[in-house]
């Protein structure tokens, strides 16, 4: 059974997609950019602050669906500049360091709203 997951504790979708989709005990969380949900504005220009906000947005979607960061099995991290890799990993480790999900991290030419990082996850109960 397919269930659409939405919460006001994460930024509203910027296009025709859902914040998350749960099916058969698996939650797919769409890429989260570092927007503050209440204002739909960029949290900061600082890459660590952007990473933290992206992960807070991911966490909010997980929680509303009844999952935790401990349930994450796969993450996709999209970054604007590979020179930010170490800084992003420092914050990422605060949220997922003990979990150590499978992960891809790629540098991309451009992200929505010209942010520096976007993070998506898959979680399993």
């Amino acid at each position: 059974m397919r269930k659409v997951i939405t919460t006001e504790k994460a930024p509203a979708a910027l296009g025709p997609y859902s914040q998350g989709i749960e099916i058969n005990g698996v939650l797919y969380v769409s890429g989260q950019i570092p927007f503050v949900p209440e204002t739909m504005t960029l949290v900061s220009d600082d890459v660590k602050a952007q990473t933290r906000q992206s992960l807070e947005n991911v966490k909010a979607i997980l929680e509303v669906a009844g999952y935790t960061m401990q349930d994450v099995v796969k993450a996709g991290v999209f970054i604007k500049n590979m020179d930010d890799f170490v800084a992003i990993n420092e914050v990422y480790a605060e949220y997922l360091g003990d979990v150590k999900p499978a992960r891809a991290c790629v540098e991309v030419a451009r992200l929505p709203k010209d942010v520096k990082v976007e993070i998506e996850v898959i979680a399993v109960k």
Side-chain angles (χ1 to χ4, degrees), residues 94-120:
E94 292 173 22
Y95 286 81
L96 292 158
D98 293 336
V99 179
K100 293 188 174 140
R103 184 181 91 172
C105 181
V106 296
E107 181 181 79
V108 296
R110 195 167 179 202
L111 289 164
K113 303 294 184 179
D114 293 316
V115 300
K116 294 180 179 179
V117 63
E118 179 175 358
I119 300 172
E120 66 179 8

Side-chain angles (χ1 to χ4, degrees), residues 3-22 27-32 37 40 57-58 60-62 64-65 119-121:
K3 181 178 179 185
V4 175
I5 306 299
T6 60
T7 179
E8 292 180 3
K9 293 181 179 183
L14 298 175
Y17 61 88
S18 300
Q19 290 173 322
I21 297 289
E22 182 181 30
L27 178 64
Y28 301 87
V29 177
S30 292
Q32 295 300 302
M40 289 297 289
N57 294 340
V58 164
I61 296 166
L62 288 168
V64 77
I119 300 172
E120 66 179 8
V121 301

Side-chain angles (χ1 to χ4, degrees), residues 15-84:
Y17 61 88
S18 300
Q19 290 173 322
I21 297 289
E22 182 181 30
I23 188 162
N24 298 329
V26 179
L27 178 64
Y28 301 87
V29 177
S30 292
Q32 295 300 302
I33 62 174
F35 272 27
V36 176
E38 297 81 13
T39 62
M40 289 297 289
T41 58
L42 183 62
V43 67
S44 166
D45 192 48
D46 176 70
V47 73
K48 284 187 173 185
Q50 286 195 22
T51 304
R52 186 167 283 107
Q53 184 64 54
S54 293
L55 286 163
E56 284 295 324
N57 294 340
V58 164
K59 185 177 170 186
I61 296 166
L62 288 168
E63 288 176 352
V64 77
Y67 293 76
T68 70
M69 295 298 255
Q70 296 294 314
D71 298 317
V72 173
V73 296
K74 174 77 167 85
V77 181
F78 308 94
I79 63 179
K80 187 173 183 178
N81 186 338
M82 198 55 80
D83 291 340
D84 291 331

